Amino acid sequence: MLNNLLPIFDGHNDVLLRLRRDGGADPVKRFLEGEDGGHIDLPRAKAGGLAGGLCAIYVPSPSMTKDANGDYPTPSQPDAINETLAMARLLFEIEARSEGGVTVCRTAGDIRRSIETGSFAAVFHIEGAEAVAADLDALHVLYQAGLRTLGPVWSRPNVFAYGVPFRYPSTPDIGPGLTEAGRDLIRACNELKIMVDLSHMNEAGFWEIAKLSNAPLVASHSNVHALCNHSRNLTDRQLDAIRDTDGLVGINFGVLFLRDDGIKDANTSLDLLVRHVAYIAERIGIDRVALGSDFDGTTIPAELKDAAGLPKLVEALRSHGFNDAELKKIGHENWISVLERSWA
Ligand SMILES: [Zn+2]
């Protein structure tokens, strides 16, 4: 660690998607040298203590018009693998041109070393496995390229499962569970030691994975349903299942998943985010809560603004009563520890 900020290792960001979608020239340079828009680039990560995190490769729906079932359309596998390769290439080009400033990490040791030396610790993550066909060939090849964590679905159906639609107010119990191909995917992830991410699963899929998987249950960017009645959030029963497998929840900064009024209002206090962290710590233990910002993927509290604002969140957590040792756990130790257990 090169400055005295608390290093934050975060469970979910969409910076690769933002850089691709912005369409501006030289996305690698924009990440490394910084820019005004969005939430993350390297200078702002350094300014806020963002030491790294799961860098999602997410393939957007071909349109944001919902189909007759009320679901977002799912990209085809050929389109999804093409887009996934383009975004993975972007990640590796960022690493290659960063002169040591960014490291794509494949082990917990890689993450620890990167944090110590001040190199941004990126983990290659897929959110929604549309790029992988049911034969799972792409899963094996992407693993060799560095893929270490994967969410089977985003909030739409694919060949593996039915992602939980965005609904408020609503339970997460919407739609069917895993398909046969989905069960094969979970078994293959267990064998390859790819962490399975439960964020965006509906309840049926969550419980099937809980039964099937031999790894800790992890939701990288989901919040507390008891505090915010949104379909993307986790019920107390789900939290208890995560505790029972020594898993982890990364708290999402998205105001839609924090506020109990369902209003998309960036004028949302950081104290509310702290309440979600504290709820999980109290219910399932301080070792099982961390952060999953959703930077560059959602509307976050204006007070935080971007990655450079993370020290404000750390101060809010400290004011709530978390001590230095607990802040380190929430900030990075819990994530590194659950990844180490998932990858062992
Ligand atoms: Zn997400």
Side-chain angles (χ1 to χ4, degrees):
M1 136 185 40
L2 296 180
N3 52 31
N4 57 7
L5 296 171
L6 174 69
I8 304 294
F9 184 89
D10 176 68
H12 189 90
N13 75 69
D14 284 303
V15 67
L16 297 172
L17 176 70
R18 181 178 66 76
L19 291 168
R20 281 276 295 166
R21 273 194 151 178
D22 280 0
D26 201 346
V28 175
K29 183 172 181 218
R30 289 193 286 128
F31 180 81
L32 295 176
E33 295 182 7
E35 58 187 342
D36 284 337
H39 297 146
I40 301 184
D41 51 40
L42 199 53
R44 282 180 288 174
K46 281 201 189 309
L50 181 64
L54 273 57
C55 293
I57 291 184
Y58 159 74
V59 180
S61 287
S63 121
M64 286 312 270
T65 308
K66 292 180 181 175
D67 66 16
N69 298 323
D71 294 318
Y72 291 114
T74 306
S76 70
Q77 193 269 337
D79 286 350
I81 189 72
N82 286 341
E83 186 61 19
T84 296
L85 294 177
M87 287 173 72
R89 176 182 172 182
L90 173 58
L91 175 63
F92 292 124
E93 285 191 357
I94 287 172
E95 180 186 40
R97 284 172 54 187
S98 73
E99 296 173 344
V102 176
T103 304
V104 179
C105 295
R106 292 167 173 81
T107 67
D110 290 347
I111 299 174
R112 289 197 181 96
R113 268 190 300 280
S114 290
I115 292 179
E116 274 163 27
T117 58
S119 179
F120 186 86
V123 171
F124 178 177
H125 169 74
I126 282 182
E127 180 179 43
E130 287 82 14
V132 179
D135 59 22
L136 305 182
D137 287 349
L139 183 79
H140 288 260
V141 174
L142 290 168
Y143 174 80
Q144 293 300 330
L147 175 70
R148 287 297 177 273
T149 75
L150 170 141
V153 283
W154 185 68
S155 288
R156 63 192 172 205
N158 65 18
V159 298
F160 302 112
Y162 185 83
V164 71
F166 292 98
R167 288 198 194 147
Y168 172 91
S170 172
T171 77
D173 189 12
I174 305 169
L178 302 177
T179 62
E180 191 53 47
R183 287 185 278 278
D184 289 344
L185 175 70
I186 302 305
R187 288 185 203 104
C189 285
N190 279 179
E191 276 166 31
L192 288 167
K193 308 292 183 189
I194 294 173
M195 188 201 86
V196 175
D197 181 6
L198 293 161
S199 287
H200 294 277
M201 289 308 300
N202 61 8
E203 268 210 84
F206 178 100
W207 292 115
E208 272 192 78
I209 292 172
K211 237 197 234 167
L212 194 64
S213 175
N214 60 21
L217 297 178
V218 176
S220 67
H221 60 304
S222 293
N223 293 348
V224 176
H225 197 268
L227 298 178
C228 168
N229 191 3
H230 195 290
S231 59
R232 272 277 283 110
N233 287 341
L234 298 158
T235 67
D236 285 349
R237 254 189 88 217
Q238 289 179 305
L239 293 176
D240 294 348
I242 288 169
R243 174 196 59 211
D244 294 345
T245 62
D246 210 3
L248 185 86
V249 179
I251 293 296
N252 192 316
F253 300 176
V255 297
L256 277 178
F257 316 120
L258 291 168
R259 298 173 66 98
D260 61 2
D261 59 8
I263 297 171
K264 192 176 183 174
D265 183 357
N267 186 18
T268 295
S269 165
L270 291 183
D271 292 340
L272 186 54
L273 213 166
V274 171
R275 279 182 59 205
H276 282 260
V277 174
Y279 186 99
I280 307 241
E282 278 156 34
R283 187 170 183 100
I284 67 171
I286 186 70
D287 294 331
R288 301 189 185 92
V289 63
L291 304 177
S293 67
D294 220 342
F295 276 144
D296 283 327
T298 193
T299 301
I300 67 170
E303 198 182 336
L304 206 56
K305 190 166 178 284
D306 56 24
L310 280 169
K312 290 181 194 163
L313 175 58
V314 175
E315 277 324 297
L317 289 162
R318 196 187 298 280
S319 306
H320 177 84
F322 290 111
N323 63 33
D324 281 346
E326 291 168 332
L327 289 172
K328 274 191 195 166
K329 288 183 178 202
I330 297 166
H332 58 276
E333 287 178 354
N334 288 345
W335 257 123
I336 299 171
S337 159
V338 82
L339 288 171
E340 189 159 51
R341 279 179 273 123
S342 304
W343 295 341

